[in-house]
mmCIF file of all heavy atoms in Angstrom:
data_model
loop_
_atom_site.group_PDB
_atom_site.id
_atom_site.type_symbol
_atom_site.label_atom_id
_atom_site.label_comp_id
_atom_site.label_asym_id
_atom_site.label_seq_id
_atom_site.Cartn_x
_atom_site.Cartn_y
_atom_site.Cartn_z
ATOM 1 N N GLU A 1083 -74.965 76.343 -29.477
ATOM 2 C CA GLU A 1083 -74.152 75.170 -29.164
ATOM 3 C C GLU A 1083 -73.235 75.453 -27.985
ATOM 4 O O GLU A 1083 -73.292 74.763 -26.971
ATOM 5 C CB GLU A 1083 -73.337 74.730 -30.377
ATOM 6 C CG GLU A 1083 -72.521 73.478 -30.118
ATOM 7 C CD GLU A 1083 -71.978 72.840 -31.380
ATOM 8 O OE1 GLU A 1083 -72.287 73.332 -32.482
ATOM 9 O OE2 GLU A 1083 -71.256 71.832 -31.254
ATOM 10 N N VAL A 1084 -72.419 76.498 -28.095
ATOM 11 C CA VAL A 1084 -71.449 76.799 -27.049
ATOM 12 C C VAL A 1084 -71.894 78.031 -26.268
ATOM 13 O O VAL A 1084 -72.109 79.095 -26.853
ATOM 14 C CB VAL A 1084 -70.048 77.040 -27.642
ATOM 15 C CG1 VAL A 1084 -69.056 77.404 -26.539
ATOM 16 C CG2 VAL A 1084 -69.576 75.812 -28.407
ATOM 17 N N ASP A 1085 -72.040 77.874 -24.969
ATOM 18 C CA ASP A 1085 -72.347 79.005 -24.099
ATOM 19 C C ASP A 1085 -71.143 79.946 -24.094
ATOM 20 O O ASP A 1085 -70.063 79.592 -23.626
ATOM 21 C CB ASP A 1085 -72.628 78.491 -22.689
ATOM 22 C CG ASP A 1085 -73.091 79.583 -21.733
ATOM 23 O OD1 ASP A 1085 -73.111 80.761 -22.140
ATOM 24 O OD2 ASP A 1085 -73.428 79.262 -20.586
ATOM 25 N N GLY A 1086 -71.327 81.157 -24.636
ATOM 26 C CA GLY A 1086 -70.233 82.112 -24.695
ATOM 27 C C GLY A 1086 -69.542 82.178 -26.040
ATOM 28 O O GLY A 1086 -68.474 82.804 -26.155
ATOM 29 N N SER A 1087 -70.110 81.564 -27.070
ATOM 30 C CA SER A 1087 -69.548 81.700 -28.413
ATOM 31 C C SER A 1087 -69.647 83.164 -28.841
ATOM 32 O O SER A 1087 -70.455 83.925 -28.295
ATOM 33 C CB SER A 1087 -70.298 80.817 -29.407
ATOM 34 O OG SER A 1087 -71.606 81.330 -29.640
ATOM 35 N N PRO A 1088 -68.845 83.607 -29.816
ATOM 36 C CA PRO A 1088 -68.907 85.016 -30.240
ATOM 37 C C PRO A 1088 -70.313 85.462 -30.649
ATOM 38 O O PRO A 1088 -70.735 86.575 -30.317
ATOM 39 C CB PRO A 1088 -67.931 85.061 -31.428
ATOM 40 C CG PRO A 1088 -66.938 84.004 -31.117
ATOM 41 C CD PRO A 1088 -67.722 82.900 -30.470
ATOM 42 N N THR A 1089 -71.040 84.612 -31.344
ATOM 43 C CA THR A 1089 -72.414 84.966 -31.729
ATOM 44 C C THR A 1089 -73.310 85.045 -30.508
ATOM 45 O O THR A 1089 -74.136 85.962 -30.380
ATOM 46 C CB THR A 1089 -72.961 83.932 -32.729
ATOM 47 O OG1 THR A 1089 -72.145 83.941 -33.903
ATOM 48 C CG2 THR A 1089 -74.401 84.251 -33.112
ATOM 49 N N ASP A 1090 -73.161 84.102 -29.604
ATOM 50 C CA ASP A 1090 -73.942 84.076 -28.368
ATOM 51 C C ASP A 1090 -73.720 85.342 -27.556
ATOM 52 O O ASP A 1090 -74.669 85.973 -27.082
ATOM 53 C CB ASP A 1090 -73.537 82.833 -27.561
ATOM 54 C CG ASP A 1090 -74.327 82.667 -26.273
ATOM 55 O OD1 ASP A 1090 -75.532 82.404 -26.351
ATOM 56 O OD2 ASP A 1090 -73.727 82.803 -25.200
ATOM 57 N N VAL A 1091 -72.462 85.714 -27.397
ATOM 58 C CA VAL A 1091 -72.130 86.903 -26.604
ATOM 59 C C VAL A 1091 -72.645 88.172 -27.280
ATOM 60 O O VAL A 1091 -73.235 89.051 -26.633
ATOM 61 C CB VAL A 1091 -70.608 86.997 -26.388
ATOM 62 C CG1 VAL A 1091 -70.235 88.340 -25.768
ATOM 63 C CG2 VAL A 1091 -70.135 85.845 -25.498
ATOM 64 N N ARG A 1092 -72.467 88.281 -28.569
ATOM 65 C CA ARG A 1092 -72.779 89.516 -29.281
ATOM 66 C C ARG A 1092 -74.283 89.753 -29.415
ATOM 67 O O ARG A 1092 -74.744 90.895 -29.301
ATOM 68 C CB ARG A 1092 -72.131 89.489 -30.667
ATOM 69 C CG ARG A 1092 -72.274 90.782 -31.449
ATOM 70 C CD ARG A 1092 -71.506 90.686 -32.762
ATOM 71 N NE ARG A 1092 -70.082 90.662 -32.558
ATOM 72 C CZ ARG A 1092 -69.313 91.744 -32.475
ATOM 73 N NH1 ARG A 1092 -69.862 92.954 -32.564
ATOM 74 N NH2 ARG A 1092 -68.011 91.631 -32.300
ATOM 75 N N PHE A 1093 -75.054 88.684 -29.619
ATOM 76 C CA PHE A 1093 -76.470 88.880 -29.931
ATOM 77 C C PHE A 1093 -77.439 88.329 -28.894
ATOM 78 O O PHE A 1093 -78.620 88.663 -28.931
ATOM 79 C CB PHE A 1093 -76.787 88.256 -31.288
ATOM 80 C CG PHE A 1093 -76.078 88.916 -32.428
ATOM 81 C CD1 PHE A 1093 -74.995 88.301 -33.034
ATOM 82 C CD2 PHE A 1093 -76.473 90.166 -32.875
ATOM 83 C CE1 PHE A 1093 -74.323 88.911 -34.087
ATOM 84 C CE2 PHE A 1093 -75.806 90.790 -33.924
ATOM 85 C CZ PHE A 1093 -74.728 90.162 -34.528
ATOM 86 N N ARG A 1094 -76.969 87.510 -27.974
ATOM 87 C CA ARG A 1094 -77.872 86.953 -26.956
ATOM 88 C C ARG A 1094 -77.567 87.488 -25.571
ATOM 89 O O ARG A 1094 -78.481 87.837 -24.824
ATOM 90 C CB ARG A 1094 -77.769 85.423 -26.963
ATOM 91 C CG ARG A 1094 -78.702 84.730 -25.977
ATOM 92 C CD ARG A 1094 -78.608 83.217 -26.120
ATOM 93 N NE ARG A 1094 -79.444 82.523 -25.167
ATOM 94 C CZ ARG A 1094 -79.568 81.189 -25.109
ATOM 95 N NH1 ARG A 1094 -78.921 80.429 -25.972
ATOM 96 N NH2 ARG A 1094 -80.349 80.636 -24.195
ATOM 97 N N LYS A 1095 -76.309 87.563 -25.228
ATOM 98 C CA LYS A 1095 -75.939 87.986 -23.883
ATOM 99 C C LYS A 1095 -75.748 89.493 -23.764
ATOM 100 O O LYS A 1095 -75.688 90.025 -22.654
ATOM 101 C CB LYS A 1095 -74.662 87.262 -23.432
ATOM 102 C CG LYS A 1095 -74.826 85.757 -23.311
ATOM 103 C CD LYS A 1095 -73.595 85.114 -22.727
ATOM 104 C CE LYS A 1095 -73.716 83.608 -22.644
ATOM 105 N NZ LYS A 1095 -74.860 83.144 -21.861
ATOM 106 N N THR A 1096 -75.648 90.186 -24.890
ATOM 107 C CA THR A 1096 -75.476 91.635 -24.881
ATOM 108 C C THR A 1096 -76.821 92.318 -25.089
ATOM 109 O O THR A 1096 -77.583 91.935 -25.972
ATOM 110 C CB THR A 1096 -74.511 92.076 -25.998
ATOM 111 O OG1 THR A 1096 -73.246 91.454 -25.792
ATOM 112 C CG2 THR A 1096 -74.324 93.591 -25.994
ATOM 113 N N ASP A 1097 -77.113 93.284 -24.265
ATOM 114 C CA ASP A 1097 -78.363 94.038 -24.394
ATOM 115 C C ASP A 1097 -78.255 94.975 -25.594
ATOM 116 O O ASP A 1097 -77.469 95.917 -25.595
ATOM 117 C CB ASP A 1097 -78.626 94.825 -23.111
ATOM 118 C CG ASP A 1097 -79.962 95.573 -23.138
ATOM 119 O OD1 ASP A 1097 -80.721 95.397 -24.116
ATOM 120 O OD2 ASP A 1097 -80.239 96.326 -22.188
ATOM 121 N N LEU A 1098 -79.058 94.713 -26.601
ATOM 122 C CA LEU A 1098 -79.029 95.539 -27.812
ATOM 123 C C LEU A 1098 -79.894 96.788 -27.682
ATOM 124 O O LEU A 1098 -79.891 97.629 -28.583
ATOM 125 C CB LEU A 1098 -79.500 94.714 -29.015
ATOM 126 C CG LEU A 1098 -78.651 93.471 -29.355
ATOM 127 C CD1 LEU A 1098 -79.299 92.690 -30.484
ATOM 128 C CD2 LEU A 1098 -77.233 93.877 -29.723
ATOM 129 N N GLY A 1099 -80.623 96.899 -26.590
ATOM 130 C CA GLY A 1099 -81.462 98.075 -26.374
ATOM 131 C C GLY A 1099 -82.492 98.243 -27.475
ATOM 132 O O GLY A 1099 -83.128 97.286 -27.916
ATOM 133 N N ASN A 1100 -82.642 99.459 -27.933
ATOM 134 C CA ASN A 1100 -83.612 99.760 -28.991
ATOM 135 C C ASN A 1100 -83.100 99.445 -30.386
ATOM 136 O O ASN A 1100 -83.806 99.650 -31.375
ATOM 137 C CB ASN A 1100 -84.018 101.235 -28.922
ATOM 138 C CG ASN A 1100 -84.810 101.552 -27.677
ATOM 139 O OD1 ASN A 1100 -85.592 100.729 -27.199
ATOM 140 N ND2 ASN A 1100 -84.610 102.752 -27.129
ATOM 141 N N ASP A 1101 -81.858 98.941 -30.463
ATOM 142 C CA ASP A 1101 -81.266 98.679 -31.777
ATOM 143 C C ASP A 1101 -81.663 97.330 -32.357
ATOM 144 O O ASP A 1101 -81.419 97.088 -33.543
ATOM 145 C CB ASP A 1101 -79.736 98.748 -31.695
ATOM 146 C CG ASP A 1101 -79.246 100.159 -31.428
ATOM 147 O OD1 ASP A 1101 -79.954 101.108 -31.808
ATOM 148 O OD2 ASP A 1101 -78.174 100.297 -30.833
ATOM 149 N N GLY A 1102 -82.229 96.439 -31.536
ATOM 150 C CA GLY A 1102 -82.496 95.118 -32.071
ATOM 151 C C GLY A 1102 -83.544 94.328 -31.326
ATOM 152 O O GLY A 1102 -83.910 94.651 -30.193
ATOM 153 N N VAL A 1103 -84.027 93.286 -31.991
ATOM 154 C CA VAL A 1103 -84.961 92.334 -31.402
ATOM 155 C C VAL A 1103 -84.433 90.930 -31.700
ATOM 156 O O VAL A 1103 -84.358 90.515 -32.860
ATOM 157 C CB VAL A 1103 -86.383 92.479 -31.973
ATOM 158 C CG1 VAL A 1103 -87.321 91.459 -31.328
ATOM 159 C CG2 VAL A 1103 -86.917 93.881 -31.770
ATOM 160 N N ILE A 1104 -84.059 90.207 -30.647
ATOM 161 C CA ILE A 1104 -83.566 88.843 -30.768
ATOM 162 C C ILE A 1104 -84.453 87.958 -29.898
ATOM 163 O O ILE A 1104 -84.661 88.259 -28.725
ATOM 164 C CB ILE A 1104 -82.102 88.715 -30.306
ATOM 165 C CG1 ILE A 1104 -81.209 89.779 -30.970
ATOM 166 C CG2 ILE A 1104 -81.580 87.311 -30.573
ATOM 167 C CD1 ILE A 1104 -80.988 89.612 -32.441
ATOM 168 N N VAL A 1105 -84.971 86.859 -30.453
ATOM 169 C CA VAL A 1105 -85.875 85.999 -29.694
ATOM 170 C C VAL A 1105 -85.405 84.553 -29.752
ATOM 171 O O VAL A 1105 -84.660 84.154 -30.651
ATOM 172 C CB VAL A 1105 -87.323 86.079 -30.227
ATOM 173 C CG1 VAL A 1105 -87.851 87.508 -30.154
ATOM 174 C CG2 VAL A 1105 -87.425 85.539 -31.647
ATOM 175 N N GLU A 1106 -85.860 83.788 -28.783
ATOM 176 C CA GLU A 1106 -85.646 82.339 -28.798
ATOM 177 C C GLU A 1106 -86.879 81.667 -29.370
ATOM 178 O O GLU A 1106 -88.011 82.009 -29.019
ATOM 179 C CB GLU A 1106 -85.383 81.805 -27.391
ATOM 180 C CG GLU A 1106 -85.187 80.297 -27.343
ATOM 181 C CD GLU A 1106 -84.890 79.761 -25.956
ATOM 182 O OE1 GLU A 1106 -84.942 80.552 -24.986
ATOM 183 O OE2 GLU A 1106 -84.610 78.549 -25.833
ATOM 184 N N ILE A 1107 -86.678 80.716 -30.251
ATOM 185 C CA ILE A 1107 -87.792 79.965 -30.826
ATOM 186 C C ILE A 1107 -87.360 78.522 -31.033
ATOM 187 O O ILE A 1107 -86.288 78.256 -31.578
ATOM 188 C CB ILE A 1107 -88.288 80.601 -32.146
ATOM 189 C CG1 ILE A 1107 -89.479 79.815 -32.699
ATOM 190 C CG2 ILE A 1107 -87.173 80.713 -33.175
ATOM 191 C CD1 ILE A 1107 -90.194 80.527 -33.832
ATOM 192 N N ASN A 1108 -88.203 77.596 -30.560
ATOM 193 C CA ASN A 1108 -87.881 76.182 -30.659
ATOM 194 C C ASN A 1108 -88.989 75.418 -31.388
ATOM 195 O O ASN A 1108 -89.995 76.004 -31.795
ATOM 196 C CB ASN A 1108 -87.645 75.609 -29.259
ATOM 197 C CG ASN A 1108 -86.429 76.219 -28.598
ATOM 198 O OD1 ASN A 1108 -85.350 76.258 -29.189
ATOM 199 N ND2 ASN A 1108 -86.588 76.728 -27.377
ATOM 200 N N ALA A 1109 -88.796 74.135 -31.534
ATOM 201 C CA ALA A 1109 -89.720 73.321 -32.328
ATOM 202 C C ALA A 1109 -91.156 73.441 -31.834
ATOM 203 O O ALA A 1109 -92.098 73.504 -32.632
ATOM 204 C CB ALA A 1109 -89.261 71.868 -32.305
ATOM 205 N N ASP A 1110 -91.350 73.493 -30.522
ATOM 206 C CA ASP A 1110 -92.703 73.572 -29.972
ATOM 207 C C ASP A 1110 -93.386 74.901 -30.291
ATOM 208 O O ASP A 1110 -94.601 75.026 -30.121
ATOM 209 C CB ASP A 1110 -92.671 73.374 -28.454
ATOM 210 C CG ASP A 1110 -92.400 71.923 -28.075
ATOM 211 O OD1 ASP A 1110 -92.654 71.036 -28.912
ATOM 212 O OD2 ASP A 1110 -91.932 71.677 -26.945
ATOM 213 N N ASP A 1111 -92.612 75.885 -30.731
ATOM 214 C CA ASP A 1111 -93.178 77.195 -31.065
ATOM 215 C C ASP A 1111 -93.603 77.302 -32.527
ATOM 216 O O ASP A 1111 -94.128 78.331 -32.939
ATOM 217 C CB ASP A 1111 -92.148 78.298 -30.769
ATOM 218 C CG ASP A 1111 -91.699 78.297 -29.317
ATOM 219 O OD1 ASP A 1111 -92.578 78.230 -28.439
ATOM 220 O OD2 ASP A 1111 -90.484 78.355 -29.065
ATOM 221 N N ASN A 1112 -93.375 76.256 -33.290
ATOM 222 C CA ASN A 1112 -93.699 76.269 -34.713
ATOM 223 C C ASN A 1112 -95.047 75.599 -34.957
ATOM 224 O O ASN A 1112 -95.160 74.375 -34.852
ATOM 225 C CB ASN A 1112 -92.605 75.541 -35.507
ATOM 226 C CG ASN A 1112 -92.857 75.584 -37.005
ATOM 227 O OD1 ASN A 1112 -93.809 76.199 -37.478
ATOM 228 N ND2 ASN A 1112 -91.990 74.922 -37.764
ATOM 229 N N PRO A 1113 -96.096 76.357 -35.279
ATOM 230 C CA PRO A 1113 -97.414 75.744 -35.501
ATOM 231 C C PRO A 1113 -97.469 74.859 -36.729
ATOM 232 O O PRO A 1113 -98.424 74.093 -36.895
ATOM 233 C CB PRO A 1113 -98.345 76.955 -35.643
ATOM 234 C CG PRO A 1113 -97.467 78.099 -36.004
ATOM 235 C CD PRO A 1113 -96.126 77.821 -35.406
ATOM 236 N N TRP A 1114 -96.460 74.933 -37.596
ATOM 237 C CA TRP A 1114 -96.406 74.099 -38.799
ATOM 238 C C TRP A 1114 -95.278 73.077 -38.713
ATOM 239 O O TRP A 1114 -94.723 72.658 -39.720
ATOM 240 C CB TRP A 1114 -96.238 74.974 -40.037
ATOM 241 C CG TRP A 1114 -97.320 76.014 -40.141
ATOM 242 C CD1 TRP A 1114 -98.617 75.825 -40.544
ATOM 243 C CD2 TRP A 1114 -97.209 77.398 -39.813
ATOM 244 N NE1 TRP A 1114 -99.314 77.006 -40.478
ATOM 245 C CE2 TRP A 1114 -98.481 77.999 -40.040
ATOM 246 C CE3 TRP A 1114 -96.170 78.210 -39.351
ATOM 247 C CZ2 TRP A 1114 -98.723 79.349 -39.820
ATOM 248 C CZ3 TRP A 1114 -96.412 79.551 -39.125
ATOM 249 C CH2 TRP A 1114 -97.673 80.111 -39.363
ATOM 250 N N PHE A 1115 -94.961 72.657 -37.502
ATOM 251 C CA PHE A 1115 -93.892 71.682 -37.311
ATOM 252 C C PHE A 1115 -94.223 70.412 -38.101
ATOM 253 O O PHE A 1115 -95.257 69.790 -37.884
ATOM 254 C CB PHE A 1115 -93.750 71.363 -35.826
ATOM 255 C CG PHE A 1115 -92.558 70.517 -35.480
ATOM 256 C CD1 PHE A 1115 -91.282 70.968 -35.721
ATOM 257 C CD2 PHE A 1115 -92.725 69.263 -34.913
ATOM 258 C CE1 PHE A 1115 -90.179 70.199 -35.394
ATOM 259 C CE2 PHE A 1115 -91.638 68.473 -34.583
ATOM 260 C CZ PHE A 1115 -90.354 68.951 -34.830
ATOM 261 N N PRO A 1116 -93.353 70.010 -39.036
ATOM 262 C CA PRO A 1116 -93.684 68.902 -39.946
ATOM 263 C C PRO A 1116 -93.845 67.559 -39.233
ATOM 264 O O PRO A 1116 -93.145 67.275 -38.256
ATOM 265 C CB PRO A 1116 -92.477 68.863 -40.893
ATOM 266 C CG PRO A 1116 -91.788 70.177 -40.725
ATOM 267 C CD PRO A 1116 -92.051 70.609 -39.331
ATOM 268 N N GLU A 1117 -94.751 66.757 -39.740
ATOM 269 C CA GLU A 1117 -95.004 65.447 -39.157
ATOM 270 C C GLU A 1117 -93.757 64.570 -39.201
ATOM 271 O O GLU A 1117 -93.474 63.821 -38.258
ATOM 272 C CB GLU A 1117 -96.148 64.762 -39.909
ATOM 273 C CG GLU A 1117 -96.630 63.475 -39.254
ATOM 274 C CD GLU A 1117 -97.239 63.712 -37.877
ATOM 275 O OE1 GLU A 1117 -97.852 64.769 -37.672
ATOM 276 O OE2 GLU A 1117 -97.089 62.814 -37.012
ATOM 277 N N VAL A 1118 -92.985 64.673 -40.283
ATOM 278 C CA VAL A 1118 -91.787 63.851 -40.393
ATOM 279 C C VAL A 1118 -90.778 64.203 -39.300
ATOM 280 O O VAL A 1118 -90.081 63.319 -38.772
ATOM 281 C CB VAL A 1118 -91.145 64.011 -41.796
ATOM 282 C CG1 VAL A 1118 -90.651 65.446 -42.021
ATOM 283 C CG2 VAL A 1118 -90.004 63.017 -41.982
ATOM 284 N N LEU A 1119 -90.715 65.481 -38.921
ATOM 285 C CA LEU A 1119 -89.814 65.872 -37.836
ATOM 286 C C LEU A 1119 -90.368 65.477 -36.473
ATOM 287 O O LEU A 1119 -89.599 65.243 -35.534
ATOM 288 C CB LEU A 1119 -89.537 67.374 -37.882
ATOM 289 C CG LEU A 1119 -88.636 67.857 -39.019
ATOM 290 C CD1 LEU A 1119 -88.325 69.341 -38.862
ATOM 291 C CD2 LEU A 1119 -87.330 67.069 -39.070
ATOM 292 N N LYS A 1120 -91.693 65.396 -36.352
ATOM 293 C CA LYS A 1120 -92.286 64.904 -35.094
ATOM 294 C C LYS A 1120 -91.835 63.471 -34.842
ATOM 295 O O LYS A 1120 -91.492 63.099 -33.712
ATOM 296 C CB LYS A 1120 -93.805 64.977 -35.162
ATOM 297 C CG LYS A 1120 -94.381 66.375 -35.124
ATOM 298 C CD LYS A 1120 -95.899 66.343 -35.184
ATOM 299 C CE LYS A 1120 -96.479 67.753 -35.209
ATOM 300 N NZ LYS A 1120 -97.965 67.735 -35.300
ATOM 301 N N ILE A 1121 -91.822 62.670 -35.899
ATOM 302 C CA ILE A 1121 -91.377 61.280 -35.774
ATOM 303 C C ILE A 1121 -89.896 61.234 -35.419
ATOM 304 O O ILE A 1121 -89.458 60.469 -34.556
ATOM 305 C CB ILE A 1121 -91.649 60.526 -37.091
ATOM 306 C CG1 ILE A 1121 -93.160 60.464 -37.357
ATOM 307 C CG2 ILE A 1121 -91.054 59.118 -37.039
ATOM 308 C CD1 ILE A 1121 -93.513 59.933 -38.732
#
């Protein structure tokens, strides 16, 4: 929601190196995206 929120800074903008894996995933990436949500 907010660019620069504490969660955003700690887990998205900070390089976690070998300690973590953080990915972006949106509705188009879900092969089981429900029909009701498509509507």
